[in-house]
Amino acid sequence: MANALEVRGLTKRFGDLTALNRVDLAVPEGSVYGFLGPNGAGKTTMLRILTGLARADGGEARLLGHPPGSAQARSLTGFLPDVPAFYPWMRAEGFLQFAGGLFGIERAALEERVPKLLELVGLSRVDSRIGGYSRGMRQRLGIAQALVNAPRLLMLDEPTSALDPLGRKDVLEMIASLAGRTTVFFSTHILADVERVCDKVAILDHGSVVAESDIHSLKARYAAHRLELRVEGGAEGAGSAIGAAGGTGAASLIAALKGRPWVTKVEASSSEPGLVSAVVTDLARARREVPRIVADLGLGLERLESGEISLEEVFVELVGAGR
Amino acid sequence: MGGAGRFLRKEVSEHLHTWRLPVLGGVFLFFALTGPVLAMLTPALLRSVQSSQPGLVFQIPVPGWRDAYVQWIKNLSQIGAFVMILAAAGSVSGEVSKGTAVLVLTKPLSRFDFIVCKVVVFFGLVVAEVVLGTLVTQAVTLLVFGSAPWAAIWMPTIVWLVFAALLIAIATLMSSIAPTLAAAGLGLVAFFALSIAAMWGPAARFSPAGLTFALSRLLFGQPIALAWPLVTAAAATLAVTAAAALLFSRREL
């Protein structure tokens, strides 16, 4: 599959600060690609370069084969900035007509397209001037204007950040509905959004991509599965002796699990006394060996549950290390 | 209609929907309405000062249409220019600081077209308002003084409009590279520099500064060579606009 967006060694510096450090990305055409990172990671800087608003100090990027900021790239893409700003004296319909006009779209085509876009973003019944809009309404209008040219590549900077839960759901559904037809590249720090709609994800931290993969591979590669265990007498041991050598119950179990090669992380649950939480790379082996380890310690196993690790945990694992 | 045409229409609408048209138009209209009346009342005002100060003697000529025209051109070339520079200074920087430029310039509208549209529409607005103001001045002058010849007011007004085009280009250039307040300050510095340069003979003869010097001579029907100042002002307007577009296209937003 061809790439709609390719970035090679992209670097951007602001004085001594390196905002982007040799970033490489490949966004397949038709995919929904999440660009994830904590605040200040460099996501907005990246989008500013891709839209031609800023220049890179090194490296190169191609949007549908065209350099960022070129007339061809701009005519094939749609963009929503993190805080979209409009002419307050205009109305939504007028702004979309104006935005479409900048793409050279004929008036007749716009008269057909604009009402559909307003309907899509839930602004079809709003006739007031944009100056009186809430932040959420501006965000919705921002999404509509980014779609006015039916772009092949849609770039969204924090598209759900100003929306209420219902608005967020609508926008995510809209993004998901574009999959296969339009390439969507969106930055966010809301992990649940990425997990919900993205095919692929890149995690940016301190200007560098620390991971790029599809979400399932990413989870498999970085953490695999979580186990939750409760043993008889675990509460008293865990409550008092986590980390203490020679403890009984949960503390003994934590000590026993720490040396196993298939355990990457084990700790007492902070939310539920007596509960031990472990991250394991080989779930089948863990299911076989944990009951035996518990028995060897002379404990009884009350509970053994496994679950898939969330993207949030992967994110914290990758990004938290540098903080 | 292409992207530039659509942006041009937006600029016109923006002037109509925001403070620029009422403020600039209001200022010019105020000058047009009050200029002839003030010219008529000035002798009476001076006489009242004279009567309150025994021993003070003014030689007060009888006011006429030329005094009304002098008032109009003086207001235009001083306060009018001042207000115009202040308004033009926010034309680009305002869009950058508010963030509207981002949505516009990530669409297929070049930054060159963005700047040129700004200058063209702003100048067009000033021309329309000044033409209206000149007609009103002429009409009020006719009412007050019974005579209002055409050439004596239109010649200096047209010359001032050529100068205004340069001032708008300069203010837009400053607005392309600096925040609004700084752009206004730099625009006013350029205006004062041109006004001062007009006092130096060679600059008055061969540069746009000569246009400010020419206004009073045209008002009084005195001969003056305008070719060089007009040509250099037009060339400078184009060059400054091109420089604004070039610098803006290199600027990160």
Side-chain angles (χ1 to χ4, degrees):
Chain A
M1 189 186 286
N3 289 323
L5 172 62
E6 285 188 332
V7 174
R8 294 274 173 272
L10 208 68
T11 300
K12 178 70 179 176
R13 295 185 198 88
F14 296 105
D16 293 336
L17 175 78
T18 302
L20 292 174
N21 186 18
R22 303 183 64 78
V23 171
D24 293 331
L25 288 179
V27 179
E29 201 150 4
S31 66
V32 178
Y33 193 104
F35 194 49
L36 196 58
N39 292 333
K43 304 186 296 293
T44 296
T45 302
M46 176 80 163
L47 280 162
R48 285 177 60 232
I49 292 171
L50 294 178
T51 50
L53 296 171
R55 279 185 301 279
D57 294 317
E60 62 168 355
R62 284 285 181 276
L63 291 83
L64 300 160
H66 305 290
S70 63
Q72 296 98 321
R74 282 182 284 156
S75 66
L76 296 170
T77 56
F79 175 58
L80 169 72
D82 52 350
V83 184
F86 304 92
Y87 301 106
W89 50 271
M90 280 191 183
R91 290 181 165 79
E93 188 178 351
F95 187 82
L96 294 182
Q97 297 273 3
F98 164 65
L102 293 178
F103 283 100
I105 301 170
E106 294 295 327
R107 180 180 284 271
L110 283 172
E111 279 173 4
E112 193 180 328
R113 194 176 297 177
V114 166
K116 288 179 184 169
L117 285 170
L118 289 171
E119 187 72 38
L120 180 75
V121 298
L123 292 175
S124 55
R125 290 180 188 170
V126 181
D127 192 39
S128 55
R129 290 180 195 272
I130 300 171
Y133 280 19
S134 67
R135 177 133 190 248
M137 290 164 82
R138 284 166 198 252
Q139 197 80 355
R140 286 163 181 270
L141 181 58
I143 290 165
Q145 65 80 35
L147 290 167
V148 77
N149 60 326
R152 281 178 59 194
L153 171 61
L154 181 62
M155 295 186 284
L156 310 168
D157 194 0
E158 308 269 5
T160 57
S161 60
L163 299 173
D164 58 30
L166 282 177
R168 208 173 123 209
K169 177 176 164 285
D170 291 346
V171 169
L172 291 174
E173 279 174 2
M174 185 209 71
I175 290 173
S177 73
L178 293 170
R181 291 181 290 138
T182 301
T183 309
V184 183
F185 180 77
F186 80 93
S187 79
T188 183
H189 61 267
I190 303 173
L191 299 149
D193 291 356
V194 171
E195 207 156 13
R196 195 159 150 189
V197 296
C198 289
D199 309 315
K200 283 192 77 176
V201 62
I203 297 179
L204 190 73
D205 186 36
H206 289 99
S208 298
V209 173
V210 292
E212 187 196 14
S213 177
D214 65 79
I215 289 175
H216 297 297
S217 306
L218 195 69
K219 286 180 187 176
R221 191 188 317 162
Y222 286 96
H225 298 274
R226 189 192 322 98
L227 281 185
E228 287 190 345
L229 310 150
R230 177 182 281 283
V231 289
E232 286 172 354
E236 84 194 55
S240 60
I242 297 308
T248 57
S252 306
L253 180 60
I254 289 168
L257 289 174
K258 266 186 179 163
R260 311 286 162 167
W262 39 271
V263 177
T264 56
K265 190 177 174 185
V266 59
E267 62 190 5
S269 167
S270 55
S271 57
E272 191 179 335
L275 192 71
V276 173
S277 177
V279 176
V280 299
T281 53
D282 189 338
L283 182 63
R285 191 171 174 187
R287 281 184 176 282
R288 279 196 311 273
E289 293 195 18
V290 165
R292 188 175 51 74
I293 293 167
V294 172
D296 288 350
L297 290 169
L299 301 169
L301 187 61
E302 281 185 351
R303 183 169 133 198
L304 172 60
E305 287 176 0
S306 64
E308 200 177 45
I309 198 140
S310 70
L311 184 61
E312 186 167 343
E313 285 165 294
V314 176
F315 181 79
V316 170
E317 185 78 20
L318 287 166
V319 172
R323 276 159 209 276
Chain B
M1 184 182 280
R6 191 63 192 83
F7 188 71
L8 204 71
R9 274 177 53 199
K10 185 280 282 182
E11 281 294 298
V12 173
S13 295
E14 188 156 47
H15 282 288
L16 297 175
H17 284 92
T18 58
W19 58 270
R20 281 186 208 147
L21 185 76
V23 168
L24 263 178
V27 166
F28 289 134
L29 200 61
F30 177 77
F31 292 158
L33 290 167
T34 57
V37 176
L38 207 62
M40 183 188 70
L41 295 177
T42 300
L45 289 170
L46 289 175
R47 270 194 292 274
S48 71
V49 172
Q50 190 175 0
S51 61
S52 67
Q53 306 243 335
L56 192 66
V57 179
F58 288 126
Q59 292 295 324
I60 306 164
V62 177
W65 58 264
R66 201 185 301 276
D67 298 293
Y69 286 4
V70 167
Q71 197 72 35
W72 165 246
I73 293 296
K74 191 182 77 184
N75 286 335
L76 209 58
S77 59
Q78 291 172 1
I79 306 170
F82 197 84
V83 174
M84 189 183 71
I85 288 168
L86 291 182
S91 62
V92 180
S93 54
E95 292 232 27
V96 172
S97 64
K98 286 173 195 155
T100 47
V102 166
L103 281 190
V104 169
L105 293 169
T106 48
K107 295 177 173 56
L109 175 76
S110 71
R111 295 198 190 189
F112 182 85
D113 288 345
F114 183 88
I115 293 294
V116 170
C117 287
K118 292 269 176 198
V119 173
V120 166
V121 172
F122 201 98
F123 181 59
L125 172 84
V126 168
V127 168
E129 288 169 338
V130 168
V131 164
L132 181 69
T134 309
L135 288 170
V136 171
T137 299
Q138 221 178 345
V140 178
T141 301
L142 190 65
L143 283 173
V144 172
F145 297 108
S147 174
W150 286 85
I153 192 167
W154 283 101
M155 283 297 284
T157 300
I158 290 167
V159 166
W160 184 81
L161 282 172
V162 175
F163 187 64
L166 177 58
L167 294 181
I168 290 166
I170 291 171
T172 307
L173 167 68
M174 301 309 174
S175 187
S176 306
I177 56 173
T180 303
L181 207 59
L186 291 167
L188 290 174
V189 166
F191 169 58
F192 290 128
L194 282 168
S195 303
I196 291 166
M199 292 182 227
W200 183 48
R205 278 195 298 279
F206 300 112
S207 82
L211 295 180
T212 56
F213 176 74
L215 296 177
S216 58
R217 296 186 72 92
L218 287 168
L219 271 168
F220 289 93
Q222 295 164 342
I224 183 159
L226 274 172
W228 271 106
L230 285 174
V231 169
T232 53
T237 301
L238 294 176
V240 171
T241 303
L246 184 69
L247 291 171
F248 188 60
S249 64
R250 289 182 177 176
R251 184 176 169 188
E252 293 197 356
L253 300 177

